[in-house]
Amino acid sequence: MIRRGRMIPLVAALLATAGCSVFSSGAPAAPPPLERTTLRVGVGNAIDTAPLRIAVAAGRFGAAGLNVQLVELGGEDGLAKLAAGDLDVTFASDVALFRAAAGGTAVQLQGEAYASGPTTMALVTLPGSDYVVPTSKKSPEIAVNMLDDVGALAARSVLGTAGVDVTKIKFKQVGFDRMPQSLQAGDVDAALMIEPYITRAEKDLGAHILADGARGATLDFPLSAYASAKPFAQANPRTLAAFRTALGAAQQSATDPAIVRDALPKFSDIDTTTAALISLGSYPASLNGIRLQRVADLMHNSGQLANRLDVQALLPDQNGY
């Protein structure tokens, strides 16, 4: 039997070994601060970037400790501005991002922006056109906004799936806003349009959809994303982790299309009627390497990339690097 007198020194020793932590009721240590609190974010296409714009206007990034300054890209190249240090994060098409990465540009993806839905991109013709089914022309002339971006990729995929020899497709670079005029003038047989241009052409000109651009290999196809220069990402992992978390919440809120439709007229030239009629895709709430790999693989298979790109290498690791 141990005497009480002997237990007192034993208990004291145990408490000393434990650092008397049993009596500590202090709050856990605060997380390390963000490396910076201001981020300059380049934004483009209003539909693709709607959740980000809505969240910034509502102060949701401020609640996460971030001052997000949106920089309208207009016709400027966000990746070039990123490389020049004029932006910290930029919006860009996935095709442009992966082409840059394959060319040696060190980028890190910070979030997905937009993915296609039914008729969010489509081959469009005007009434009276003799191009009535995708295979009715063996060498169709197709207007695309850029010769080496997602429009040409989608057109090749859809027409190729229909049975057209993709090597015989003739692409002509035409801005989205000028595609209706090119169709009216007979300069092209069809135009690969996106929203809201599809709805405007239907509403104003009675345009027809020759083929949905979001089917087959491009069904639910990732279209755009946000990225940082890799050195910037490595220097600011906590800041960008906070950005990704807030962006994910913003994207998640856009699962209700009414939120996007209501907001579009407030920060774009899309009027209320058009906003109510446009087809909307989806807004992924997190980065998914497997989903994004579809874009890189289609680029490789179509000849846009000489070698297969591993998209997983462009994603932040668990530590944000």
Side-chain angles (χ1 to χ4, degrees):
M1 183 175 184
I2 300 176
R3 295 177 180 272
R4 178 172 174 169
R6 293 182 179 179
M7 289 181 66
I8 293 174
L10 178 60
V11 171
L14 288 173
L15 290 176
T17 303
C20 296
S21 60
V22 293
F23 296 116
S24 175
S25 59
L34 304 182
E35 297 87 1
R36 62 180 66 207
T37 56
T38 297
L39 284 176
R40 300 163 299 169
V41 181
V43 288
N45 185 295
I47 294 176
D48 290 38
T49 59
L52 172 64
R53 294 171 184 269
I54 294 168
V56 170
R60 292 173 190 162
F61 283 89
L66 289 172
N67 172 26
V68 171
Q69 300 175 350
L70 298 183
V71 180
E72 295 290 345
L73 294 174
E76 295 184 273
D77 183 352
L79 288 170
K81 294 177 75 67
L82 200 69
D86 296 329
L87 294 174
D88 304 315
V89 180
T90 192
F91 163 84
S93 74
D94 290 327
V95 171
L97 284 167
F98 297 162
R99 185 172 58 247
T105 302
V107 295
Q108 184 186 88
L109 299 179
Q110 300 303 330
E112 295 187 51
Y114 193 57
S116 68
T119 65
T120 53
M121 55 181 179
L123 285 167
V124 175
T125 61
L126 295 184
S129 171
D130 61 351
Y131 197 11
V132 292
V133 295
T135 54
S136 63
K137 289 185 179 290
K138 296 187 181 298
S139 183
E141 293 191 56
I142 308 296
V144 291
N145 70 311
M146 293 183 67
L147 298 177
D148 56 356
D149 213 318
V150 68
L153 198 67
R156 282 194 189 95
S157 175
V158 171
L159 291 174
T161 299
V164 176
D165 182 348
V166 295
T167 64
K168 295 183 178 180
I169 301 172
K170 299 175 183 176
F171 289 109
K172 183 173 183 178
Q173 184 166 319
V174 181
F176 287 123
D177 59 338
R178 292 182 286 108
M179 286 182 180
Q181 289 84 351
S182 291
L183 288 169
Q184 289 175 317
D187 295 337
V188 293
D189 298 310
L192 195 292
M193 294 185 179
I194 61 172
E195 290 288 24
Y197 301 97
I198 297 171
T199 294
R200 286 173 177 164
E202 290 176 322
K203 184 161 55 80
D204 299 339
L205 303 172
H208 302 297
I209 291 180
L210 175 71
D212 187 352
R215 62 172 56 178
T218 50
L219 178 67
D220 301 324
F221 197 61
L223 296 176
S224 52
Y226 299 96
S228 293
K230 187 71 177 287
F232 180 87
Q234 291 174 326
N236 299 278
R238 295 189 297 278
T239 298
L240 290 176
F243 174 80
R244 290 193 297 273
T245 298
L247 176 64
Q251 297 280 105
Q252 184 65 40
S253 70
T255 55
D256 180 357
I259 293 175
V260 176
R261 295 184 191 280
D262 180 63
L264 283 172
K266 299 174 183 176
F267 53 75
S268 74
D269 62 352
I270 300 173
D271 61 78
T272 303
T273 301
T274 302
L277 294 173
I278 58 173
S279 298
L280 287 175
S282 60
Y283 297 95
S286 61
L287 287 163
N288 185 308
I290 295 174
R291 178 170 56 228
L292 290 168
Q293 190 66 48
R294 292 175 56 201
V295 183
D297 287 348
L298 189 58
M299 292 174 70
H300 176 48
N301 294 336
S302 68
Q304 285 199 24
L305 294 181
N307 300 304
R308 187 175 187 270
L309 177 71
D310 179 12
V311 175
Q312 191 65 39
L314 307 180
L315 274 57
D317 61 22
Q318 291 184 345
N319 298 315
Y321 294 101

